[in-house]
Amino acid sequence: DSVEQFEKFRITTGKVHGNKEKEGDLKTPEGIYYIIGKISGDKLPEKYGPLALVLNYPNPVDRIFGRMGSDIWIHGRNEEIVDRQTEGCISLENNYILNLASFITINKTPVIIVDSLDNLSSSEYQQKIRVWSDIIQSWRNAWEAGNTSTYFGFYSHFFKDVSGRDLQFFKNRKKALETLYKWKKITIDHIVVLSSEYEAHVKFNQTYLCPKFYSTGVKTLTFVPVDSTWEIVKEQFISTIPRVYISESIKKFLELWKSNWESKDIERYISLYDSSFSVKGLSLQEWEQYKRRIFSQTNKIRVNLGSPEIDSSDKMTWKVSFKQDYQSDSHNDIGQKILTVYGYPGDFKILSEDWSTLGKK
């Protein structure tokens, strides 16, 4: 869908036309900003009206290109609105600033300041999203494949991470991770694009899975135009859940598998197996029939598992090896079991089982 207009207000801006460059130039900045605070009227000079919304000017892109200054607000006005009357702020009538404030969430509501506004049709807006989606998918593909030359090509030499470290630090860290982890799986969805002449912010949901951990959250890439392309100058990832470590997640999965086995809950037990599962020539359906028969003939089952060894060489797949001690009223056995487990934390499935007996107890 295209952007929907809720309200329209008359405003006034800086006395001098053009994008702000320095303190005191009387220009209003252009770009993408966020409201980072509010100042109530009792703390403001009377000319600013009942409220001021504080913008994060200069933002990271402004700092990269040396655009400086401070105290850029959206505020009220105890005078008639006339074009180009401020020292760089955006000003509107008092009742309008109070109305506008009702739409604001601090640190989350974006403010796009442009010299002129292009009203895109729904089809034009969707085409814009498709172009950016193609860029982001190409970036993701290069990252997931470990194609560092292509991946680093998306980044500007102006790049700084959230801690202010430069592109070379970023490259060194990514190369080290490529060596450390044999594979990674990255998914992205719900892409949102905010853009102006000077920058673009692309926000999306991201999941990252590697042999050691799983993370999910929201990533924002900030791009600037360079010649005929867009390059990344900032990258921020905010987790929506704490990082999940694969070893702990697989141990919990084993406990669930063991519990379902001991309770002889065949539906829950079989639900942990992938539809492609096979063992000793048995399909999943045949395995279920076999287990149903065992469960029906057994009054009590106890399974003790040793500490698992977990290794991954294939994408999203782990070999889980452990000592298993099986006890029932009709059969006791002890041996080494290897489960091949596939998937994500919270959605693991067993692909295969290997069993080597060490002898009956």
Side-chain angles (χ1 to χ4, degrees):
D1 297 330
S2 59
V3 175
E4 182 179 353
Q5 179 177 297
F6 285 94
E7 298 283 356
K8 186 176 182 179
F9 307 125
R10 173 79 186 277
I11 65 169
T12 184
T13 56
K15 295 176 182 179
V16 178
H17 182 262
N19 191 14
K20 189 169 188 62
E21 298 174 351
K22 60 183 179 180
E23 188 84 40
D25 64 6
L26 304 181
K27 297 178 181 180
T28 297
E30 297 178 24
I32 302 172
Y33 301 94
Y34 288 85
I35 294 171
I36 58 173
K38 296 180 181 181
I39 305 174
S40 59
D42 60 342
K43 298 178 181 178
L44 293 168
E46 185 177 352
K47 68 177 183 178
Y48 293 117
L51 181 67
L53 305 174
V54 182
L55 297 179
N56 68 324
Y57 178 86
N59 69 16
V61 172
D62 294 318
R63 294 180 188 278
I64 286 171
F65 294 104
R67 297 192 285 265
M68 301 306 293
S70 61
D71 296 333
I72 299 298
W73 304 340
I74 303 173
H75 59 75
R77 190 168 187 82
N78 287 322
E79 299 176 9
E80 181 184 357
I81 297 295
V82 179
D83 288 347
R84 305 204 176 282
Q85 287 292 301
T86 78
E87 297 177 0
C89 292
I90 297 171
S91 182
L92 61 164
E93 292 181 10
N94 289 339
N95 59 321
Y96 290 158
I97 186 67
L98 295 174
N99 187 354
L100 179 64
S102 66
F103 294 97
I104 300 303
T105 301
I106 299 298
N107 293 319
K108 291 186 177 181
T109 302
V111 177
I112 305 175
I113 306 174
V114 293
D115 188 49
S116 61
L117 184 63
D118 295 326
N119 291 315
L120 300 180
S121 67
S122 178
S123 61
E124 289 171 330
Y125 180 77
Q126 290 301 321
Q127 176 59 26
K128 178 181 178 181
I129 294 296
R130 282 193 291 271
V131 169
W132 277 106
S133 293
D134 289 344
I135 292 172
I136 297 302
Q137 289 295 347
S138 296
W139 166 84
R140 186 208 71 85
N141 292 343
W143 183 17
E144 183 174 288
N147 187 343
T148 54
S149 60
T150 300
Y151 177 63
F152 293 147
F154 285 92
Y155 291 81
S156 167
H157 67 279
F158 292 115
F159 176 84
K160 299 284 186 182
D161 68 13
V162 292
S163 299
R165 295 169 297 203
D166 64 12
L167 181 61
Q168 191 57 54
F169 179 92
F170 177 82
K171 287 182 176 181
N172 291 342
R173 180 173 175 273
K174 289 294 183 179
K175 288 177 180 178
L177 291 174
E178 287 295 329
T179 302
L180 184 61
Y181 301 131
K182 299 174 183 177
W183 57 265
K184 54 190 169 298
K185 175 66 176 177
I186 301 157
T187 62
I188 59 177
D189 60 20
H190 294 93
I191 297 173
V192 176
V193 181
L194 303 174
S195 64
S196 73
E197 178 184 352
Y198 299 99
E199 61 188 292
H201 296 189
V202 185
K203 181 181 292 188
F204 47 88
N205 296 335
Q206 174 187 294
T207 65
Y208 178 97
L209 177 68
C210 71
K212 296 298 182 182
F213 68 87
Y214 170 77
S215 67
T216 182
V218 177
K219 176 159 283 185
T220 302
L221 299 177
T222 301
F223 291 80
V224 297
V226 178
D227 297 326
S228 60
T229 188
W230 289 85
E231 295 182 351
I232 300 168
V233 293
K234 183 183 176 185
E235 178 173 320
Q236 182 179 36
F237 179 77
I238 300 176
S239 296
T240 51
I241 63 171
R243 177 178 288 189
V244 177
Y245 289 93
I246 299 301
S247 60
E248 295 304 314
S249 188
I250 286 181
K251 288 176 183 177
K252 290 179 181 179
F253 177 78
L254 289 179
E255 285 300 317
L256 178 62
W257 173 73
K258 171 181 176 291
S259 175
N260 292 341
W261 190 0
E262 289 182 329
S263 64
K264 300 186 294 180
D265 189 331
I266 188 63
E267 281 75 23
R268 291 185 178 179
Y269 177 77
I270 289 297
S271 72
L272 302 180
Y273 288 78
D274 190 76
S275 60
S276 65
F277 173 84
S278 66
V279 60
K280 296 181 179 179
L282 298 180
S283 66
L284 179 62
Q285 184 178 9
E286 292 167 332
W287 178 250
E288 179 179 354
Q289 292 171 352
Y290 167 72
K291 283 295 184 178
R292 282 186 183 275
R293 186 169 66 254
I294 295 296
F295 287 0
S296 67
Q297 296 172 353
T298 306
N299 292 322
K300 185 177 181 180
I301 294 174
R302 286 291 177 266
V303 183
N304 295 312
L305 307 180
S307 180
E309 294 182 5
I310 302 169
D311 183 55
S312 176
S313 57
D314 296 324
K315 183 175 287 189
M316 299 177 65
T317 306
W318 289 264
K319 295 287 187 181
V320 186
S321 176
F322 51 90
K323 186 177 180 180
Q324 176 182 293
D325 183 355
Y326 175 91
Q327 302 173 34
S328 74
D329 47 333
S330 60
H331 179 77
N332 295 336
D333 207 352
I334 188 168
Q336 192 73 17
K337 178 160 283 187
I338 300 175
L339 298 181
T340 302
V341 176
Y342 176 86
Y344 287 88
D347 191 27
F348 287 127
K349 298 293 182 183
I350 299 171
L351 295 178
S352 66
E353 290 189 11
D354 289 311
W355 169 254
S356 300
T357 184
L358 299 177
K360 295 182 180 180
K361 295 181 66 177

